[in-house]
């Protein structure tokens, strides 16, 4: 019983860790004068922030499935709303609607994350992917929040606009590309698939799977088969499936 309770709380503890790392790294990096660090450190900071930014979206995704705090759905939803708000002032309700529809028609026309059936090029597909989450109203809200926060931090704490651009806006763009390429395009793109292998015995494969999209790329089919499995347990879900093929 105690083991089950610890397991059910793991999603919450990981959510807290991702949120704290995102906040802590953000405050640290925007406060450091760029002249004091070299370009390698800047690149590492951007990459780390991008990965953590993607983590915010993953938290919201698992909240939609009721997996973050399964024994407290109100807290589960609150964390999900917070995560998408920090991600890009997104609407949790809209993300929830899109993801439910994605599971109803995955990889087909009508899937909010899929192309429109005509414009299949990844650039057009990516543009449609963004429009599904970023309505004009949400975009204006996002720009307003960015302007307000940037002006306030610059006026009150003398935070450089370039720091905010490099460690908040650039990671957001890279994160959206990461979610699209590894979480949508590769799993559902024509002719795109992961190798037919048993990744559960391959540590390097699981590391790659985690770094690319918190396991939602390499284990995308497993997620659709077992949507009740949280992101951090997806590598173990292969043992529940009769086949290890990826689509």
């Amino acid at each position: 019983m105690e083991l089950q309770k610890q397991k059910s709380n793991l999603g919450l503890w990981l959510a807290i860790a991702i949120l704290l790392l995102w906040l802590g790294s953000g405050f640290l990096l925007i406060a450091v004068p760029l002249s004091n660090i070299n370009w390698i450190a800047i690149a590492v900071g951007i990459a780390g922030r991008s990965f953590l930014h993607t983590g915010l979206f993953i938290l919201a995704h698992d909240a939609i499935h009721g997996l973050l705090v399964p024994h407290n759905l109100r807290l589960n939803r609150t964390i999900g709303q917070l995560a998408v708000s920090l991600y890009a002032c997104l609407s949790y309700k809209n993300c929830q609607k899109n993801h439910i529809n994605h599971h109803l028609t995955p990889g087909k026309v009508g899937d909010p994350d899929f192309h429109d059936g005509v414009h299949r090029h990844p650039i057009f597909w990516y543009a449609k992917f963004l429009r599904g989450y970023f309505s004009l109203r949400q975009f204006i809200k996002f720009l307003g929040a960015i302007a307000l926060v940037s002006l306030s931090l610059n006026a009150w704490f003398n935070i450089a606009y370039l720091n905010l651009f490099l460690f908040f806006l650039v990671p957001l763009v890279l994160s959206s590309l990461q979610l699209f390429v590894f979480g949508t395009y590769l799993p559902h793109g024509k002719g795109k698939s992961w190798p037919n292998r048993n990744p559960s015995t391959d540590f390097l494969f699981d590391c790659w799977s985690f770094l690319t999209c918190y396991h939602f790329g390499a284990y995308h089919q497993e997620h659709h088969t077992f949507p009740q499995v949280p992101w951090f347990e997806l590598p173990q879900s292969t043992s529940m499936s009769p086949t290890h093929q990826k689509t």
Side-chain angles (χ1 to χ4, degrees):
M1 182 68 70
E2 184 66 26
L3 181 61
Q4 288 181 337
K5 184 177 180 180
Q6 290 177 0
K7 187 176 180 180
S8 67
N9 287 332
L10 182 55
L12 174 60
W13 289 117
L14 289 174
I16 292 172
I18 290 172
L19 287 167
L20 289 178
L21 285 170
W22 184 84
L23 288 169
S25 64
F27 285 123
L28 176 65
L29 289 169
I30 63 173
V32 176
L34 294 179
S35 58
N36 292 352
I37 54 178
N38 58 40
W39 67 270
I40 296 178
I42 293 174
V44 170
I46 291 173
R49 291 284 298 158
S50 300
F51 180 71
L52 290 171
H53 214 79
T54 297
L56 295 178
F57 198 88
I58 299 303
L59 294 183
H61 167 272
D62 269 24
I64 289 169
H65 284 281
L67 300 175
L68 280 185
V69 196
H71 54 278
N72 189 332
L73 294 182
R74 177 176 293 182
L75 178 59
N76 178 86
R77 182 182 178 87
T78 298
I79 295 176
Q81 290 175 322
L82 174 63
V84 290
S85 295
L86 292 175
Y87 186 85
C89 297
L90 297 178
S91 164
Y92 180 81
K93 185 176 180 180
N94 183 53
C95 290
Q96 185 178 44
K97 177 183 176 182
N98 280 354
H99 196 64
I100 290 173
N101 289 333
H102 169 67
H103 274 269
L104 290 174
T105 57
K108 300 176 182 178
V109 176
D111 175 358
D113 295 345
F114 200 55
H115 58 68
D116 60 6
V118 179
H119 305 95
R120 303 182 180 216
H121 191 281
I123 293 178
F124 295 111
W125 188 346
Y126 175 62
K128 178 183 177 295
F129 175 77
L130 290 182
R131 288 198 304 271
Y133 294 91
F134 244 155
S135 66
L136 179 59
R137 180 180 178 182
Q138 291 299 130
F139 187 63
I140 293 174
K141 181 179 178 182
F142 170 71
L143 290 180
I146 287 293
L148 178 62
V149 171
S150 299
L151 290 170
S152 299
L153 289 175
N154 179 263
W156 296 344
F157 302 104
N158 199 30
I159 300 297
Y161 291 121
L162 183 57
N163 286 59
L164 293 168
F165 173 77
L166 289 175
F167 300 121
F168 276 90
L169 287 183
V170 172
L172 169 59
V173 174
L174 293 178
S175 171
S176 71
L177 287 168
Q178 181 180 9
L179 288 166
F180 171 71
V181 172
F182 293 104
T184 298
Y185 180 69
L186 288 179
H188 293 299
K190 183 177 179 180
K192 305 291 184 181
S193 63
W194 292 94
N196 183 14
R197 60 190 296 178
N198 184 357
S200 62
T201 62
D202 191 331
F203 175 74
L204 292 178
F205 184 91
D206 284 347
C207 288
W208 172 252
S209 170
F210 171 61
L211 291 173
T212 51
C213 199
Y214 291 77
H215 301 307
F216 281 107
Y219 294 94
H220 200 86
Q221 181 60 49
E222 281 78 4
H223 169 59
H224 278 277
T225 305
F226 307 107
Q228 75 278 12
V229 176
W231 68 266
F232 51 89
E233 291 183 359
L234 282 175
Q236 285 73 52
S237 67
T238 54
S239 62
M240 303 164 60
S241 178
T243 176
H244 295 149
Q245 292 184 350
K246 306 289 178 287
T247 58

